[in-house]
Amino acid sequence: DARVTQTPRDKVTEMGQEVTMRCQPILGHNTVFWYRQTMMQGLELLAYFRNRAPLDDSGMPKDRFSAEMPDATLATLKIQPSEPRDSAVYFCASGFAGTAYTTGELFFGEGSRLTVL
Amino acid sequence: GIQVEQSPPDLILQEGANSTLRCNFSDSVNNLQWFHQNPWGQLINLFYIPSGTKQNGRLSATTVATERYSLLYISSSQTTDSGVYFCAVVPSNTGNQFYFGTGTSLTVIP
């Protein structure tokens, strides 16, 4: 089964530490999204990429968050320095966009649960 | 930006009952999906349904794009149906990102 893979599944860290979350999108997908969810609330879009280029990262706190796609099989989300308010579940999702104005079916990874003490 | 509203926000059902969840959106879309977030937090694809009707077992969905709504039907509900159901849409004029509704929280009691 093709799936979106995220690591780590769980991360506990102390305030001020750097945190890196990784995502392997489904092979062949060209669009990757990062979402954040707190306490089973709605999904907050942080950033997304198409063909490895960042399209929108306006949802991300720029001073401490950064998102990259070093290659087509890896997307990373980094927090430096981390703060307790960053505690949440971070989801990666991927899809295939055939044109500039369409986005195909979206598939989610299982999420990375981050706890910052 | 586009508004996505889901109703009802909360629903409690007796096992075996049927239910209808609704998703209204304020602008034309070229993509609509229904997701189920189970109590363990996993987001599971239910339907990719920008228009028309689809069925998968006890679940079915209908999207009437011209009237800007979609319905998710759950028949003979089971306790494993509990969780939050999200509707997500992609506006036709941007086509770039998904906008999520705030979800319907479903609890099925035995």
Side-chain angles (χ1 to χ4, degrees), chain A residues 9 31 33 35 37 40-43 45 48 50 55-56 89 91 97 99-110 113, chain B residues 30-31 33 35 37-43 45 47-48 83-84 86 90-102:
Chain A
R9 292 294 311 281
T31 308
F33 298 79
Y35 289 91
Q37 187 179 45
M40 292 295 272
Q41 297 294 309
L43 290 150
L45 179 66
Y48 66 101
R50 181 163 294 182
L55 285 193
D56 188 349
V89 179
F91 286 100
T99 71
Y101 291 97
T102 60
T103 301
E105 188 173 1
L106 192 65
F107 294 86
F108 279 86
E110 295 192 327
R113 180 179 302 277
Chain B
N30 60 25
N31 188 343
Q33 285 186 245
F35 296 91
Q37 186 164 37
N38 63 23
W40 296 270
Q42 294 176 306
L43 280 155
N45 288 33
F47 293 102
Y48 171 66
V84 182
F86 289 104
V90 177
S92 299
N93 62 349
T94 64
N96 284 327
Q97 62 167 291
F98 285 81
Y99 290 82
F100 281 78
T102 52

Side-chain angles (χ1 to χ4, degrees), chain A residues 38-63:
Chain A
T38 54
M39 292 297 291
M40 292 295 272
Q41 297 294 309
L43 290 150
E44 176 188 12
L45 179 66
L46 297 175
Y48 66 101
F49 296 79
R50 181 163 294 182
N51 297 321
R52 294 177 56 200
L55 285 193
D56 188 349
D57 61 0
S58 59
M60 214 162 57
K62 298 291 192 310
D63 56 338

Side-chain angles (χ1 to χ4, degrees), chain B residues 8-15 17-19 77 82 104-110:
Chain B
D10 298 281
L11 188 57
I12 299 175
L13 295 176
Q14 198 78 38
E15 197 170 26
N18 302 330
S19 61
S77 57
S82 296
T104 292
S105 178
L106 173 65
T107 303
V108 180
I109 54 179

